[in-house]
Amino acid sequence: MHELRNQILCGDCVEVLQKAKEPFADLVFADPPFNIGYKYDKYHDEKANDHYLAWTRDWIGQCVRVLKPSGSIYIAIGDEYAAQIKLILEDEHKLSLRNWIIWHYTFGQQTKTKFARSHTHILYFVKDAKRFTFNDDVVRVISDRQKKYRDKRANPTGKIPDDVWNEYARICGTFSERTGHPCQMPESLLARIIRVSSNEGDWVLDPFCGSGVTATVAHKLGRRYTTIDLSEDYVEAAKKRIADSVGLTHEVESEGWTEHADAELRWLFGENKVPLSQLCESRFLLTLFTKKLNQRLQKKCPYTTEQVSKRLKRLGSSLSPLDAAKSLEMEASGVEE
Ligand SMILES: C[S@@+](CC[C@H](N)C(=O)[O-])C[C@H]1O[C@@H](n2cnc3c(N)ncnc32)[C@H](O)[C@@H]1O
């Protein structure tokens, strides 16, 4: 299995995975082409229905085969094939559905004759409904009971997020995270999946590398990874992305914050949905937030609430990716806020 460990491979995922003799993946995340005519470098995204479904069965078959008995699989898919894929996993592979997640994003494509589509399905299945990884602690968010009512009955670690995810904006042109890939998922979304469904040292497989987001986040979070793409250019860009991510652990501006810690701070802020002023003014909420951040970062010297509050205020409008993109646009066009 060494030839697959921590590799970004160029090739057809079905052919590459066929070579694996035994299950190795603790977690599979797959975001295949949706068959809706997207322009990829090396893949034609407009196949006949039968052809697309037969190919879908092939790659799902390989992914399920290399998934360990205690493993989890997440598949991102559009409206066109979500129902068929659910049945393939459930009826043909006997996997158990945990959640049918809806990723709801802003910036849906506008059309004149129907409502704008603003979601992607993420089907979350496990091989064994009694034995799988679900690290609820690291993904819990501050609950309304804690936020609004300071209710003592509230679970002190917060609540498990709902299955409609509206806290992750689609990556648009001006986002600093943006690579050259035509459809790129946000790192924050992958971080939630990887954190909850795998442990440090576990092995994450993404058969459709694209921009390399899954491998990059897996690497940042101390997981092993394997990812594959037909396009040499995408593979090269993804390798560079991972190599560059090593630098993200260096301190910025000598204030004890690394780029990665800043990214985690932004992600956590987005997920908890507490307005900045409320968060910084409430000792109770700030303590909860700081605890969650430290839990995610696992630093030897955890941040204090004062450091977190100061950093949050410093980052201000750039905490939300949409606002950050807006101010970048303004900077580029010389407009003052
Ligand atoms: C929807 S994109 C993945 C995007 C990725 N999740 C991201 O966020 O960057 C699908 C990718 O699958 C690749 N692809 C298509 N057919 C493939 C195959 N048979 N094996 C490996 N990769 C393939 C395409 O080149 C494209 O980059």
Side-chain angles (χ1 to χ4, degrees):
M1 243 22 109
H2 299 302
E3 63 282 6
L4 292 181
R5 185 183 303 153
N6 293 341
Q7 293 300 316
I8 303 184
L9 301 163
C10 186
D12 170 31
C13 61
V14 178
E15 285 172 17
V16 171
L17 293 176
Q18 260 165 355
K19 292 188 194 135
K21 293 198 176 67
E22 58 204 47
F24 63 89
D26 297 283
L27 168 65
V28 174
F29 175 81
D31 173 23
F34 289 4
N35 210 27
I36 52 176
Y38 242 91
K39 298 275 175 282
Y40 294 109
D41 180 16
K42 288 282 155 61
Y43 176 84
H44 179 67
D45 191 32
E46 259 174 328
K47 306 267 188 274
N49 191 42
D50 289 359
H51 181 145
Y52 181 81
L53 275 175
W55 173 71
T56 297
R57 282 200 163 77
D58 285 348
W59 69 255
I60 289 182
Q62 286 306 321
C63 286
V64 172
R65 191 180 67 77
V66 300
L67 184 66
K68 287 187 188 163
S70 58
S72 309
I73 178 167
Y74 290 72
I75 300 182
I77 193 70
D79 290 358
E80 293 75 9
Y81 294 96
Q84 280 104 323
I85 289 185
K86 180 202 179 247
L87 292 179
I88 293 172
L89 289 164
E90 214 161 46
D91 295 351
E92 297 174 25
H93 292 286
K94 310 293 175 214
L95 266 56
S96 301
L97 178 71
R98 300 299 302 168
N99 288 110
W100 184 313
I101 297 159
I102 297 294
W103 172 31
H104 168 236
Y105 44 74
T106 44
F107 292 130
Q109 301 277 339
Q110 291 296 312
T111 52
K112 281 190 176 161
T113 53
K114 60 179 182 177
F115 300 112
R117 188 187 291 190
S118 58
H119 67 272
T120 292
H121 307 266
I122 302 179
L123 305 176
Y124 160 36
F125 278 83
V126 294
K127 256 194 175 168
D128 180 344
K130 293 207 173 77
R131 193 163 63 99
F132 58 90
T133 299
F134 193 85
N135 298 316
D136 65 299
D137 260 10
V138 279
V139 294
R140 282 179 182 271
V141 290
I142 298 173
S143 65
D144 277 350
R145 280 183 176 221
Q146 295 173 308
K147 230 181 275 183
K148 294 189 188 150
Y149 314 115
R150 298 277 303 268
D151 187 333
K152 292 215 167 53
R153 291 166 304 171
N155 183 326
T157 59
K159 68 161 197 166
I160 295 183
D162 299 337
D163 58 6
V164 176
W165 296 358
N166 55 13
E167 51 278 76
Y168 306 111
R170 214 159 67 142
I171 303 287
C172 54
T174 44
F175 281 27
S176 57
E177 198 181 315
R178 177 80 189 207
T179 67
H181 195 272
C183 57
Q184 182 192 339
M185 288 215 160
E187 289 196 10
S188 46
L189 184 148
L190 263 303
R192 173 178 277 176
I193 292 175
I194 292 173
R195 276 208 162 94
V196 80
S197 287
S198 71
N199 296 306
E200 267 193 67
D202 277 359
W203 197 327
V204 182
L205 165 68
D206 182 340
F208 303 105
C209 168
S211 68
V213 62
T214 310
T216 304
V217 178
H219 177 66
K220 284 183 186 173
L221 300 183
R223 274 65 168 173
R224 291 173 287 173
Y225 58 84
T226 301
T227 187
I228 309 154
D229 206 289
L230 286 176
S231 161
E232 246 169 65
D233 287 356
Y234 296 165
V235 165
E236 286 314 310
K239 283 184 181 165
K240 183 168 180 318
R241 187 174 179 183
I242 293 215
D244 289 349
S245 76
V246 174
L248 299 182
T249 51
H250 294 141
E251 255 183 48
V252 281
E253 299 159 13
S254 70
E255 283 184 5
W257 290 86
T258 62
E259 264 187 76
H260 180 63
D262 272 350
E264 291 281 7
L265 188 75
R266 288 194 173 90
W267 299 346
L268 195 66
F269 179 76
E271 287 170 15
N272 280 281
K273 300 177 188 164
V274 183
L276 182 59
S277 53
Q278 188 187 356
L279 184 56
C280 292
E281 276 158 27
S282 158
R283 183 99 211 143
F284 171 72
L285 293 178
L286 193 62
T287 305
L288 278 178
F289 185 90
T290 305
K291 225 170 161 183
K292 287 184 183 301
L293 182 72
N294 285 328
Q295 186 183 19
R296 288 190 180 186
L297 288 171
Q298 294 179 358
K299 264 169 47 90
K300 278 201 195 98
C301 293
Y303 288 119
T304 61
T305 47
E306 287 70 27
Q307 285 172 309
V308 170
S309 164
K310 196 169 157 208
R311 193 69 188 165
L312 282 167
K313 287 180 189 155
R314 174 97 193 254
L315 294 178
S317 64
S318 78
L319 279 168
S320 134
L322 288 176
D323 292 345
K326 212 174 82 194
S327 40
L328 270 180
E329 264 171 34
M330 285 176 156
E331 241 172 61
S333 61
V335 179
E336 282 183 21
E337 246 176 307

